[in-house]
């Protein structure tokens, strides 16, 4: 571990206050394994989950909940799972991108690369996962599969979440 990395980790905020959104027409609290996994992992890493919910794959619902999270000063990060594919019902990305002030293009690129290498092979090209910032709130839009969620959280989001928040607070 280099000096810069150690310094960054020491200076980064320890906790993020998060909103977790599952976008699905079929999932319930009992069947939302991905949303539950995100919440469990955030808590395990010392972050807090201020709110979590399951909403239908409808642009108006997604936009309403995203805006509420962005405008809530007690939310530092919004993690969305579901609705990121290419099916007609998959509208999460369109809503997220319309609200982003800055897109973290590298997140989607790295996620698809890791998905290709470690999880689903060439099917990764159909993922439109993205991340960015709106009004000092970090936003991550992940596929709904538990494998994809684990990959994104473990390899990308959790290692950088504190650093991202530190940059947003500068």
């Amino acid at each position: 571990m280099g000096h810069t990395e150690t310094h960054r980790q020491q200076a980064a905020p320890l906790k993020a206050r998060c909103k977790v959104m599952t976008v699905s027409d079929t999932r319930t609290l009992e069947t939302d394994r991905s949303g539950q996994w995100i919440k469990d992992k955030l808590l395990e890493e010392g972050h807090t989950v201020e709110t979590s919910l399951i909403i239908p794959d409808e642009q108006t619902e997604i936009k309403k909940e995203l805006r509420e999270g962005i405008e809530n000063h007690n939310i530092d990060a919004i993690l969305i799972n579901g609705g990121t594919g290419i099916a007609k019902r998959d509208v999460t990305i369109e809503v997220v991108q319309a609200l982003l002030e800055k897109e973290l293009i590298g997140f989607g690129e790295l996620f698809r690369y890791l998905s290709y290498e470690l999880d689903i092979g060439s099917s990764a090209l159909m993922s439109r996962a993205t991340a960015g910032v709106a009004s000092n709130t970090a936003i991550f839009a992940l596929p709904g599969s538990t494998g994809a969620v684990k990959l994104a959280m473990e390899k990308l989001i959790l290692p950088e979440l504190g650093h991202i928040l530190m940059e947003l607070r500068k």
Side-chain angles (χ1 to χ4, degrees), residues 46-119:
H47 302 290
T48 59
V49 177
E50 299 296 320
T51 184
S52 69
L53 65 161
I54 300 171
I55 57 173
D57 222 328
E58 299 287 345
Q59 286 194 9
T60 52
E61 290 284 326
I62 299 167
K63 187 182 291 184
K64 175 183 161 284
E65 289 299 333
L66 259 176
R67 279 204 170 120
E68 282 182 16
I70 292 165
E71 292 167 5
N72 183 339
H73 297 295
N74 293 318
I75 301 291
D76 301 308
I78 301 171
L79 294 89
I80 308 162
N81 75 96
T84 63
I86 61 171
K88 236 176 216 147
R89 297 285 299 152
D90 293 329
V91 295
T92 299
I93 299 304
E94 285 71 22
V95 176
V96 169
Q97 286 180 329
L99 295 175
L100 292 180
E101 294 162 12
K102 294 183 180 183
E103 188 174 2
L104 297 174
I105 297 164
F107 174 81
E109 293 170 341
L110 287 167
F111 174 76
R112 282 179 284 281
Y113 168 75
L114 291 169
S115 294
Y116 174 79
E117 286 289 321
L118 304 175
D119 193 20

Side-chain angles (χ1 to χ4, degrees), residues 1-83:
M1 189 179 305
H3 175 72
T4 307
E5 188 174 337
T6 304
H7 176 72
R8 183 187 76 207
Q9 289 172 343
Q10 288 172 349
L14 296 176
K15 288 198 257 182
R17 298 164 299 175
C18 303
K19 178 173 186 168
V20 177
M21 295 169 50
T22 295
V23 176
S24 174
D25 292 326
T26 57
R27 293 212 177 135
T28 64
L29 285 173
E30 294 77 33
T31 61
D32 182 22
R33 289 193 355 241
S34 294
Q36 190 59 54
W37 197 92
I38 292 170
K39 291 185 284 189
D40 291 346
K41 200 66 175 174
L42 286 167
L43 295 172
E44 189 180 300
E45 295 288 321
H47 302 290
T48 59
V49 177
E50 299 296 320
T51 184
S52 69
L53 65 161
I54 300 171
I55 57 173
D57 222 328
E58 299 287 345
Q59 286 194 9
T60 52
E61 290 284 326
I62 299 167
K63 187 182 291 184
K64 175 183 161 284
E65 289 299 333
L66 259 176
R67 279 204 170 120
E68 282 182 16
I70 292 165
E71 292 167 5
N72 183 339
H73 297 295
N74 293 318
I75 301 291
D76 301 308
I78 301 171
L79 294 89
I80 308 162
N81 75 96

Side-chain angles (χ1 to χ4, degrees), residues 145-158:
S145 80
T146 306
V149 162
K150 288 179 179 180
L151 183 73
M153 292 292 290
E154 291 174 345
K155 298 287 187 187
L156 299 170
I157 296 171
L158 291 171

